[in-house]
Each structure stands twice: as structure tokens, then as C-alpha cells.
Amino acid sequence: MISLKFILNKKEVSVETDPSIRLLDLLRDKFNLTGTKEGCGIGECGACTVMVNGQAVNSCLILAGQINGSDILTIEGIAVNDELHSLQRNFLSHGAVQCGYCTPGMVISAYALLQENPNPSEEEIKDAIAGNLCRCTGYKQIIEAVKETARTLKQVKVNS
């Protein structure tokens, strides 16, 4: 067992855990953050995507022992004051949510892109979500939701 301290969804946390469990399991089992899903378990589907130190990563490939001192953001952490982030709202309004299984990982991948590049091209959006598989939407609605969010965020900055 090891003691870990890190930032989780903008709050400092600490936990005693086996260093060899996956970040995915730590989030779901120790912190009850079940928005992060397990799909393939081998880093191919993106259902388990979270942000670690500002980068979108597959939490099924990260061991708990690797995250001490890190800043981790899950789907539960992007809402502000219990209000959905504009990206989440746009996923809903554009029909980018069907069964919902891929949605948390897809949203986090898109969120990471928008943090790094608030005005991405369609190709950059496709690149950012390339590691996230969706069998329901066909991706068009997802891309449109990300584009709309970028436009909205751009307008907010112009009007600030």
C-alpha cells in the first residue's frame, strides 16, 4: 500500500491504495466517480479518458502509483457549480449522446483540445477524438457539438 496525494477535480485528495491498480479503478472504486467507463481495458476505445496534468489519457493504462502529485480531471469535474459545461450542453443539444457509454471520454478528449486550442479546425477536432470510439452517433454530431462550443467560447472571450 502507498499513500497518494493529488488534485482530483480541483480538490486536493489523499488515499491509501495498492500502487498497481489502474487509475480507472481508483477513480471508480475509491472515489465513486463512475462517469469514467471501462471499455476495452487496453487503451484502444477512449471510454476511460481523463485528463492528467492537462493531457487527455486513457486511465486504464495509468497505474495509481504514477499519479502522486498530479492534477486529475474527470467528467464529473468539468461542470461548474453543478451546471453542465457548455461542451456537455452542446453534446446534448446536437444529439451527440446516444447510448452514452463513450460520452464521458469523448467529452474529456474534446475538453482537452479546447483547453489547448480554443479555435480548432474540423481536422483538429477529428484528431483529438480519434482515440475515442463511438458506435452510435457516427461522429458528425460530436464534431458539430465541439465546433459550437468553440464558437460559444470564442464569443464569451470577445464579449469579456
Side-chain angles (χ1 to χ4, degrees):
M1 298 296 274
I2 61 169
S3 294
L4 299 174
K5 280 188 178 184
F6 56 97
I7 305 295
L8 178 58
N9 295 333
K10 304 172 189 125
K11 295 178 185 153
E12 190 171 311
V13 297
S14 59
V15 66
E16 294 280 325
T17 190
D18 177 342
S20 66
I21 70 164
R22 302 174 304 171
L23 174 57
L24 169 65
D25 302 315
L26 181 72
L27 294 171
R28 292 179 62 81
D29 299 341
K30 299 275 188 184
F31 292 98
N32 201 31
L33 296 172
T34 57
T36 304
K37 309 292 186 212
E38 177 161 14
C40 66
I42 58 171
E44 294 291 325
C45 73
C48 68
T49 303
V50 299
M51 287 179 68
V52 176
N53 299 327
Q55 299 296 308
V57 300
N58 294 314
S59 63
C60 71
L61 299 179
I62 307 284
L63 297 178
Q66 296 174 279
I67 61 150
N68 197 43
S70 294
D71 187 347
I72 311 234
L73 186 69
T74 70
I75 190 68
E76 292 89 350
I78 68 168
V80 179
N81 298 325
D82 292 328
E83 191 171 312
L84 293 178
H85 186 277
S86 60
L87 181 60
Q88 293 168 301
R89 288 193 307 273
N90 285 325
F91 262 64
L92 291 170
S93 68
H94 283 80
V97 176
Q98 298 286 312
C99 80
Y101 203 80
C102 72
T103 305
M106 194 74 74
V107 168
I108 290 292
S109 291
Y111 182 85
L113 168 66
L114 293 171
Q115 294 297 298
E116 186 176 305
N117 177 2
N119 192 27
S121 67
E122 186 165 323
E123 281 307 309
E124 290 168 322
I125 294 168
K126 288 178 181 178
D127 252 8
I129 63 171
N132 298 81
L133 301 180
C134 176
R135 295 182 176 186
C136 303
T137 66
Y139 299 96
K140 183 178 185 324
Q141 300 94 318
I142 294 166
I143 292 165
E144 289 305 315
V146 178
K147 284 180 175 178
E148 178 66 26
T149 304
R151 281 191 295 272
T152 303
L153 294 175
K154 189 176 180 181
Q155 284 182 334
V156 168
K157 284 186 179 182
V158 168
N159 295 330
S160 296

